Amino acid sequence: MRTVPIVLVGGGIAGLATAWWLAQLGAREVVLLERSPALGRSATGHSAAILRSASDELLLEEFALASARFLCDPPGGFAPRPLVERVGVVLLGRGRESPPQGWERRVAHQRHARALQPAEFARLAPWFRAHGEDAWYFPGEGRVDVERTVASFARGAAERGVELRTGAGVLRLERDGARHVLELSDGTLLATERLVLAAGGWSARLGRAAGSRIELQPTRRHLFLLAPRAGVDARGPIVWNERLGFYARPERGGLLACACDTAPGAPEQHAVDERALRAFRAAAGEHLGLDTTPDDGWSGTRTFASDERFVIGPDPDVAGLHWVAGLGGHGITAGAAAGELAARQLLGLPHEARFARAFAPRRLLGALVPTR
Amino acid sequence: MNRDDQDAEDTRDGRDRPDGADWPRFHAALDERMAAAFLALDEALAACGPALAFKPTPEEWSPLEVAEHVTLTDQFLLLLSGKLARKGRDRAGRGEHIPSFTPHLTLLDELGSSARRWDAPASMLPSGRMPLARVRSTLFEDRERCRAVLASLPPGAGALADASFSPLGTRFDTYQFLALIALHGERHARQIRRLTAAAQAST
């Protein structure tokens, strides 16, 4: 049986970013395991590929902005050009008589966002119907080139010695003294003293097998591709109605849209639920003025901790077990920063204590009502 | 929009007729319904005796597996309830208008009809390996978490945030998700009782 110092499980954005940062920061002999035949094909590959930093919680917003800087201005050698197409994000905020939300109060005083007048919003996104909400424009954000981001993390990690193994699912996980022993679907055994779970919706299942009490909940959300239509500028912004829960962005001449639905589900499920499709069509009528059957659709996985904060750090009970999971649909935006924080913690290097505290798995044990 | 307009809009959105919005009373009734549902589950399990592992057919769940499924479903629904409760508290704290009528919980009873059923997703399928003591203690914790979510809401704040729940193709607010936990528990308590009766009849 082969023994390696660090084994990462999960070849999506969280696992790859962690592997890349570990390699950059000097770790040697790191193995990353991905159950699929290719990297970045599960939750990462089924995401809406949106970089959006605004959040009701300042801490999450700051974490997302750190990640956004990485993607918009990648370090030398990572990628030759930005990984974000800055088409802009328009957030529709408060309703007609509602007070501003937390992020609205903040961005009103920041330079990276500005209020849009209704006429300007109509010119930018004539295909989206606002319902009297205030509109905020974030011109520096937009669409992430997910394939290139995944490839850049993978290439950079591999160049510095990380072993990336696809088609290597974890069949069994056991303790052997201080080591975690993994039996893989390719028939091999691996042992490690530091096991990192970055497997999105599969992480909780693996954590339980390792003896952890941390619970994460995988959920599904549907995305639909609407046929090409006149008036949709491919360089147009992503529009997100925060209040009513609906977003859309130009894609292939049409629109990629989401009614922000939630359903339980296993992480390997990508098929469309008929009831979700019906609910989406009703929402598309309300927000896009369309009554049409989408050309395509799928469901992606979002995995949450009970307080919706990320889960990054050492397991409180199981020695040598580390989490980079529960990114709750924010993996594309926050994955790079999550990977850096996890890698610094694993290597015992300086890191931002406020993020480490906020995302520490320990916080999830014992609280009846998760608080922030 | 003035408040009358807002109330009219609420009515169009499928809420009940104006009831004076006695939110404390509504909270108490919902709390009572949740308590009754968890008690029914616990009593049904306690009454199982040797029927705990009884399966009418190999494909069907035993009473213990039914109860494990309830705990797995609760985990998901509590996540949503907690998330919406946070939004509702935030919106109430910012002074958003609390609706002047309480949510239409009878809508949920329609979900009990067979036409609205759906297959449990893989994440909610019981493993069959959860011991009775752990199932019962988990249900107790779920009940306490439901109470805590409800107690964390200022009166009416649970109606200020909702989410599209695609398995049922509709939007639910915090209260409706909490009521769904109770409804789901009630349904499965009845199932456990039926299974226990069937086991006793078969011996």
Side-chain angles (χ1 to χ4, degrees):
Chain A
M1 178 166 52
R2 183 177 161 209
T3 299
V4 288
I6 301 178
V7 172
L8 290 155
V9 183
I13 191 96
L16 286 166
T18 306
W20 185 86
W21 277 105
L22 281 168
Q24 289 291 310
L25 295 169
R28 293 291 172 264
E29 276 203 86
V30 176
V31 174
L32 180 146
L33 305 171
E34 166 56 45
R35 64 193 291 279
S36 306
L39 299 167
R41 288 287 181 272
S42 193
T44 298
H46 289 83
S47 75
I50 293 172
L51 172 69
R52 176 219 138 137
S53 63
S55 165
D56 274 342
E57 198 182 1
L58 179 61
L59 186 90
L60 295 180
E61 195 165 286
E62 289 175 344
F63 196 70
L65 285 169
S67 209
R69 284 191 287 276
F70 181 97
L71 295 171
C72 292
D73 185 17
F78 183 80
R81 58 183 191 280
L83 294 155
V84 180
E85 191 181 357
R86 293 179 170 183
V87 293
V89 172
V90 177
L91 293 186
L92 302 179
R94 63 172 159 176
R96 276 162 282 199
E97 290 201 341
S98 303
Q101 302 180 56
W103 61 265
E104 289 183 274
R105 283 198 301 270
R106 282 197 297 280
V107 299
H109 306 291
Q110 292 172 359
R111 279 182 300 173
H112 71 285
R114 65 183 172 83
L116 280 183
Q117 295 305 310
E120 197 178 1
F121 172 66
R123 186 177 55 73
L124 273 173
W127 36 269
F128 202 102
R129 290 182 177 175
H131 296 80
E133 298 90 353
D134 284 353
W136 294 94
Y137 184 43
F138 297 73
E141 303 187 349
R143 220 168 23 219
V144 177
D145 187 333
V146 174
E147 277 195 30
R148 214 154 52 83
T149 304
V150 165
S152 300
F153 276 127
R155 192 191 55 249
E159 281 173 359
R160 288 183 177 255
V162 175
E163 182 182 332
L164 305 172
R165 288 174 65 173
T166 54
V170 178
L171 296 182
R172 206 158 49 90
L173 186 51
E174 284 180 355
R175 290 285 287 186
D176 175 20
R179 301 186 310 170
H180 298 275
V181 178
L182 297 87
E183 181 188 342
L184 306 182
S185 53
D186 60 9
T188 58
L189 291 175
L190 265 185
T192 183
E193 290 193 356
R194 279 183 290 180
L195 176 65
V196 184
L197 299 180
W202 283 276
S203 296
R205 209 181 293 173
L206 291 164
R208 276 195 296 277
S212 174
R213 290 183 289 156
I214 298 300
E215 289 290 347
L216 297 174
Q217 183 71 50
T219 71
R220 299 165 67 206
R221 173 169 280 183
H222 290 79
L223 284 165
F224 293 100
L225 187 63
L226 298 165
R229 58 188 293 213
V232 175
D233 176 359
R235 293 277 309 158
I238 296 152
V239 183
W240 196 315
N241 189 320
E242 267 280 297
R243 173 77 195 169
L244 299 177
F246 189 92
Y247 66 79
R249 67 167 173 79
E251 175 76 25
R252 297 180 227 171
L255 293 168
L256 182 70
C258 176
C260 297
D261 61 309
T262 304
E268 61 268 28
Q269 274 183 289
H270 297 300
V272 168
D273 183 298
E274 283 304 310
R275 287 169 179 156
L277 173 59
R278 282 201 294 277
F280 171 79
R281 288 186 61 167
E286 184 183 352
H287 297 281
L288 303 173
L290 290 175
D291 181 14
T292 181
T293 303
D295 279 2
D296 196 5
W298 61 90
S299 77
T301 305
R302 305 183 314 142
T303 303
F304 292 93
S306 55
D307 62 359
E308 292 182 79
R309 272 189 175 164
F310 307 152
V311 181
I312 304 171
D315 190 275
D317 299 324
V318 183
L321 184 66
H322 205 95
W323 296 79
V324 194
L327 299 187
H330 298 283
I332 299 299
T333 292
E340 181 178 9
L341 176 60
R344 287 183 173 279
Q345 289 177 317
L346 279 159
L347 299 177
L349 297 173
H351 53 268
E352 289 225 43
R354 62 196 177 121
F355 292 137
R357 267 196 310 273
F359 304 145
R362 177 179 297 279
R363 77 188 191 274
L364 296 169
L365 301 181
L368 275 182
V369 179
T371 52
R372 287 182 176 174
Chain B
M1 186 189 295
N2 62 36
R3 288 199 171 195
D4 289 341
D5 291 339
Q6 179 71 56
D7 292 346
E9 187 158 282
D10 289 345
T11 306
R12 285 195 300 275
D13 285 349
R15 294 176 187 279
D16 219 332
R17 295 178 63 79
D19 59 3
D22 186 346
W23 285 108
R25 189 172 164 193
F26 176 81
H27 274 221
L30 180 55
D31 188 56
E32 200 174 306
R33 182 167 181 183
M34 292 189 300
F38 280 102
L39 182 64
L41 274 167
D42 194 60
E43 287 179 347
L45 279 172
C48 271
L52 203 60
F54 171 73
K55 287 171 173 254
T57 65
E59 294 76 34
E60 289 178 81
W61 294 343
S62 69
L64 188 57
E65 287 172 329
V66 170
E68 184 188 354
H69 158 74
V70 173
T71 65
L72 296 170
T73 309
D74 287 350
Q75 193 186 338
F76 172 75
L77 293 172
L78 274 162
L79 173 84
L80 291 183
S81 307
K83 175 179 180 171
L84 291 176
R86 269 193 296 279
K87 282 189 182 176
R89 284 196 301 271
D90 178 53
R91 289 175 181 173
R94 287 186 284 107
E96 280 204 22
H97 165 62
I98 301 281
S100 39
F101 19 119
T102 51
H104 180 47
L105 294 187
T106 52
L107 168 76
L108 289 167
D109 293 330
E110 296 163 16
L111 301 177
S113 70
S114 56
R116 300 298 295 267
R117 288 188 181 193
W118 84 100
D119 292 332
S123 59
M124 293 175 184
L125 298 179
S127 67
R129 294 190 298 271
M130 202 169 176
L132 177 63
R134 191 160 151 230
V135 168
R136 288 179 79 175
S137 68
T138 304
L139 287 170
F140 178 78
E141 285 168 17
D142 291 349
R143 193 289 176 260
E144 292 304 301
R145 287 174 65 195
C146 285
R147 293 190 83 157
V149 169
L150 185 61
S152 75
L153 290 166
L160 291 179
D162 64 8
S164 174
F165 186 51
S166 46
L168 300 175
T170 188
R171 295 186 77 85
F172 284 162
D173 66 22
T174 323
Y175 297 124
Q176 289 168 318
F177 275 114
L178 290 172
L180 187 57
I181 291 172
L183 175 82
H184 187 248
E186 289 160 10
R187 181 193 287 178
H188 284 302
R190 288 194 297 272
Q191 185 186 1
I192 291 170
R193 286 210 174 84
R194 276 199 306 273
L195 285 166
T196 304
Q200 286 164 351
S202 71
T203 53

